[in-house]
Each structure stands twice: as C-alpha cells, then as structure tokens.
Amino acid sequence: MKADPAVQRRLLELAEVDAELARVEHRRRSLPELAEIAAAELSVRAKRDGQVAVQTTLADLDREVKRQEKEIDAVRAREDRDRGLLTGGTVSAKQLTDLEHELATLERRQSTLEDDLLELMERREAVELDGQHAGVELAKAEEALADAARRRDEALADLDTTQARRDAERTKLVPQIPEPLLKMYDRVRAAKGIGAALLRARRCGACRLELDRSAISRIAATPADEVVTCDECGAILVRTAESGL
C-alpha cells in the first residue's frame, strides 16, 4: 500500500489520540473509587441490616415489656380485690385462710414479674445503646460512600473532558487519511492495540523491539511512499529522520 509520507505521519497523530482514548477508557473502568464504592455499598448494606436487626429486637422487647406490665397490673388488681375482701369482714374463716394464701402467692408472683420486667428494661436499654451506635456507624458508612461517589464523579468528569477533546481531534484527523490506509490502521489497532508507531533508532515504537539488520535494510530500500509494517507486532512503521535508516 502506498501513502504520502506526510499522510503516514498523520497516523502518528492519530495513534497518539487513540492511545490516550484507550487510556481514558481503561482509567474509566479501573478507577480506584469504583472499588471503594463497591466496598462502601457492602458496608452500608451491612450497617443497615444491623440497624434493622436492632430495631426488630427493640420492637420485640417493647412487646414483651407491655405484656409483662399488663400481667403485673392484673396481679396487682387481684391483690387489691383480695385485700378488699379481707378487710371487708364478709368472708368465712376458711375463705380468709384461702385469701391469705392467695395473697402470699400473688406477692411472690408480682415480685418475680417485676424482677423480669427490670431485666427486660435493662436489656432494652443495652439494645437501645447498640441502636445508637449502629446509627452512628451507618452514618459513617453512608458518608464514606457519598465521598467515594463524589470523587468518582469528579474523576469521570475529567475523563469525559479529555475524551471529548480527543474525539474532536480524531474527527479532524480521520478525513486526512485515505480510507484504505485508515482501514489497515484500524485493523492492526483492533488486533494489536497500536495501529501505527514511529520507527526510531531502528526500534519499533509499538512493540519496542529493535529490528534486525535484514529488516532495516529492507525498509531502507523501500520507497518513502510505501507503507511498511513491523515484522514482530504488525504496526505500521512511520519513517522519519529519527529512524536510523
């Protein structure tokens, strides 16, 4: 394939643009903030689950406290009724003995229930403290997530700016390159990653390998308007005064 040397040098400009576009795309996929966000999202999810668990435990304890208080109220009401009967003087001696026995039993039951209620309240207080701690930890995790997302967005905005600038440069360069040469360049770039490179000091700018004497002799004997490629990587080699030919 033939192409004017000046046109071939345009390939170097295009390759530089494409290299930066490739770096932008790689950077976009490998931003450290992406890993931070993924970890922060897991942390937030875990903290939220922990907070939900605490809230569920609190709700269960609240129901148990209400049940316990209701039972204590029922015992107290029964005690009041029995004491009323005792002081009323309307019961027989046998009923009096039964009431006194029942009152003793009710007092023991009330004492047990009140001890259980106190234990429930202490447990609830401890769980409530856990809930406050869980809330603080969740807020920290959400703040870390928001910070990582903000830094990611800033980095992406910078990459978008670079990509827009390089896309505009590419749009201007492409029409200056003949279609057959451009197709060849795109084919090599798709296969190898770099479509064209400068031959500098007998070394390929794409694969960085130094060409052997036979390759250098062949390239030196090739007309300047003939497109040559690297035997190792297939990149189009653009010859200049720096090529060492």
Side-chain angles (χ1 to χ4, degrees):
M1 181 181 296
K2 291 185 177 296
D4 186 274
V7 172
Q8 292 185 46
R9 286 192 292 273
R10 289 291 187 191
L11 288 178
L12 294 178
E13 298 177 39
L14 183 59
E16 180 184 351
V17 169
D18 285 337
E20 185 160 8
L21 286 173
R23 287 193 295 271
V24 165
E25 186 58 31
H26 178 267
R27 171 74 172 158
R28 195 187 298 278
R29 293 193 306 268
S30 59
L31 284 172
E33 290 80 7
L34 296 178
E36 286 186 49
I37 288 172
E41 286 175 340
L42 288 175
S43 178
V44 167
R45 193 175 301 118
K47 297 292 189 294
R48 284 177 180 164
D49 289 345
Q51 193 175 53
V52 169
V54 168
Q55 291 169 348
T56 300
T57 301
L58 280 175
D60 292 342
L61 286 171
D62 285 340
R63 282 193 297 272
E64 185 63 20
V65 165
K66 288 179 180 178
R67 187 193 66 78
Q68 202 81 350
E69 289 175 338
K70 186 177 180 180
E71 190 168 353
I72 290 173
D73 289 342
V75 170
R76 286 173 178 168
R78 184 66 178 268
E79 288 178 333
D80 291 342
R81 184 188 69 84
D82 287 354
R83 286 193 179 93
L85 290 173
L86 282 175
T87 59
T90 58
V91 296
S92 65
K94 183 179 183 306
Q95 289 175 322
L96 182 63
T97 300
D98 291 342
L99 285 172
E100 288 174 342
H101 177 72
E102 183 175 284
L103 275 172
T105 301
L106 289 171
E107 286 173 358
R108 289 194 299 272
R109 177 61 178 160
Q110 181 178 337
S111 177
T112 299
L113 289 172
E114 287 175 345
D115 287 343
D116 291 345
L117 179 59
L118 179 60
E119 183 181 345
L120 282 173
M121 297 299 290
E122 289 173 347
R123 284 175 56 196
R124 191 192 184 286
E125 183 178 353
V127 172
E128 194 170 25
L129 289 174
D130 289 342
Q132 293 173 2
H133 178 70
V136 171
E137 291 301 308
L138 175 59
K140 288 180 180 178
E142 289 175 336
E143 183 179 351
L145 175 58
D147 177 65
R150 176 186 55 76
R151 287 185 283 109
R152 175 205 60 192
D153 292 343
E154 290 176 353
L156 288 176
D158 289 342
L159 292 174
D160 287 343
T161 299
T162 300
Q163 181 168 352
R165 184 181 73 252
R166 287 304 199 176
D167 282 341
E169 293 175 6
R170 197 178 201 281
T171 299
K172 291 180 181 179
L173 279 170
V174 166
Q176 303 175 40
I177 301 171
E179 186 174 352
L181 181 60
L182 183 62
K183 285 184 176 180
M184 180 182 179
Y185 166 85
D186 285 337
R187 184 174 65 253
V188 174
R189 183 168 68 93
K192 303 294 184 178
I194 300 177
L198 176 65
L199 175 61
R200 176 184 283 127
R202 304 186 178 189
R203 189 180 297 274
C204 172
C207 62
R208 307 296 180 182
L209 294 178
E210 184 174 352
L211 278 63
D212 59 32
R213 290 185 178 182
S214 62
I216 289 297
S217 298
R218 173 177 55 80
I219 291 173
T222 302
D225 63 348
E226 187 75 28
V227 176
V228 297
T229 60
C230 174
D231 292 338
E232 297 296 332
C233 68
I236 297 172
L237 291 175
V238 178
R239 291 164 286 172
T240 68
E242 301 178 59
S243 297
L245 300 176

